[in-house]
Amino acid sequence: MDALKVLIARRAPPAVVAQLRAHLDADYHEGELPLTPDELRARLQGKAGAYITGTERITAELLDACPGLRVVCTMSVGYNHIDLAACTARGVLVTNTPDVLTESTADFGFALLMATARRMSEGERLLRDGGWKSWAWDFLAGAEVHGSTLGILGMGRIGQAIARRGRFGFGMRVVYHNRSRLPGDVEAELGARYVTKEALLREADHLVLVLPYSAESHHCIAAPELALMKPTATLVNVARGGIVDEDALAAALRERRIAAAGLDVFEGEPRVNPALLTLPNVVLTPHIASATMPTRVAMAQLAADNLIAALTGGTPPTPLNPEVLSS
Ligand code: 8YV
């Protein structure tokens, strides 16, 4: 039997591409930039499967234009770029890459919190620009991290991993808000206290956003929420840019209504809201929270394992809509 045709829509680790090619007939887009939506639609014609990343949008229209597509495997834990309901309605299996990126992403989230609270980027810019003239008691004095209150909005796997770092590494008090409350034993292990979203905003010295992006969470941090935060607070976003109203955030940072922000994700990325680019009290990184070599290889491998299993009669390890498998 001929191998099924698939599209590898983004550059992937060579060993993973070789493995995909050993099992499937792969059309490989090796370019540095993503395919445009039109190119993606054209390249998906006649393909049974797609290996994609967060840069490819899978919409109902695209699915209707590619009726042969049976499996979409994204090399990401987030899947807001995929219309999951439309996939399920058409019997298209979707898989993502949970767990393998949890600890690296939590490391980065915590690093961004520290860099932001302790004004690292600001200090480096000043030093490189020749602005370091002397010592002063309040020179680049930032916020305390150890012993402070860590707020987490979205207490899934990554949120919990950040909570552990805060509690056990830095002696922080942990407060969180989530759609559903964690079981008591997990709360006890993390030393985490469940609070309302309003209490979270009021109490946190450092607030980390780690919730999934959806219509519900769109701009869920906007002017009214920022107004509840402490003027000394730090806001960190390692989830999705659209969770934060960037114009409102820029205004709050400019007027020092909150102290600082660390952002790894942006609403129109790779474009960054110009209002953020000129502010000294924001640390900006280009969506790299999961970017360690071992983690990225593990994510690519898991996406490929899902695609191969789904199209060769195996059991995909991490399906998002497993109901499709039994229908
Ligand atoms: C990825 C991410 O780098 O997994 C996610 O949801 O946001 C990042 O880890 C990116 O989406 C690549 O697909």
Side-chain angles (χ1 to χ4, degrees):
M1 204 179 76
D2 285 346
L4 288 167
K5 290 190 193 322
V6 297
L7 173 67
I8 307 174
R10 292 307 303 270
R11 208 157 56 70
V16 171
V17 174
Q19 197 184 343
L20 282 165
R21 285 192 153 142
H23 293 89
L24 299 160
D25 179 0
D27 170 17
Y28 185 23
H29 170 61
E30 240 180 304
E32 277 308 312
L33 292 179
L35 296 166
T36 64
D38 285 348
E39 288 167 343
L40 182 63
R41 185 173 3 88
R43 294 278 285 263
L44 280 174
Q45 296 307 308
K47 306 285 167 41
Y51 170 109
I52 65 161
T53 71
T55 50
E56 286 65 52
R57 286 194 63 220
I58 305 294
T59 61
E61 296 71 41
L62 179 76
L63 294 169
D64 289 339
C66 308
L69 197 61
R70 287 164 39 195
V71 189
V72 172
C73 300
T74 183
M75 179 207 163
S76 60
V77 67
Y79 53 89
N80 55 291
H81 53 295
I82 301 171
D83 185 337
L84 186 61
C87 287
T88 306
R90 290 161 182 75
V92 176
L93 178 74
V94 181
T95 70
N96 69 338
T97 59
D99 301 318
V100 291
L101 81 181
T102 300
E103 299 300 328
S104 322
T105 304
D107 283 348
F108 190 91
F110 213 87
L112 190 53
L113 185 163
M114 295 203 72
T116 307
R118 298 302 305 272
R119 306 174 64 179
M120 285 187 182
S121 300
E122 209 180 333
E124 183 176 0
R125 268 195 308 271
L126 178 137
L127 180 152
R128 286 179 187 268
D129 294 346
W132 186 16
K133 304 292 183 206
S134 180
W135 180 96
W137 75 269
D138 56 352
F139 180 52
L140 288 168
E144 208 70 91
V145 175
H146 74 271
S148 64
T149 298
L150 172 62
I152 300 187
L153 185 57
M155 198 61 141
R157 288 167 285 229
I158 298 170
Q160 291 176 38
I162 292 174
R164 267 183 214 105
R165 282 156 179 73
R167 167 143 200 241
F168 300 114
F170 293 83
M172 296 169 92
R173 282 175 298 279
V174 180
V175 287
Y176 78 98
H177 183 74
N178 197 42
R179 258 181 317 191
S180 47
R181 191 171 167 173
L182 295 176
D185 57 332
V186 181
E187 280 189 355
E189 188 247 315
L190 298 171
R193 187 162 53 87
Y194 181 80
V195 293
T196 62
K197 184 179 165 193
E198 189 181 312
L200 180 78
L201 292 160
R202 287 187 196 282
E203 286 183 35
D205 292 312
H206 307 287
L207 177 63
V208 184
L209 309 178
V210 219
L211 66 167
Y213 183 51
S214 65
E216 260 168 77
S217 63
H218 176 74
H219 286 194
C220 79
I221 300 295
E225 289 75 23
L226 292 164
L228 295 176
M229 293 178 70
K230 298 180 185 179
T232 49
T234 302
L235 177 71
V236 171
N237 188 2
V238 286
R240 286 291 181 268
I243 289 170
V244 175
D245 177 340
E246 290 171 349
D247 287 326
L249 175 62
L253 289 166
R254 196 179 311 112
E255 293 156 22
R256 306 275 168 172
R257 284 186 273 114
I258 69 167
L263 307 173
D264 185 49
V265 287
F266 304 90
E267 190 159 10
E269 64 185 51
R271 182 191 153 272
V272 176
N273 187 326
L276 294 168
L277 289 170
T278 54
L279 293 168
N281 49 344
V282 54
V283 178
L284 306 166
T285 53
H287 200 152
I288 52 171
S290 68
T292 68
M293 200 52 96
T295 291
R296 286 290 169 82
V297 169
M299 291 167 71
Q301 184 66 58
L302 182 53
D305 290 346
N306 273 298
L307 189 55
I308 293 167
L311 292 178
T312 61
T315 306
T318 50
L320 281 166
N321 52 355
E323 61 271 33
V324 164
L325 292 168
S326 48
S327 62

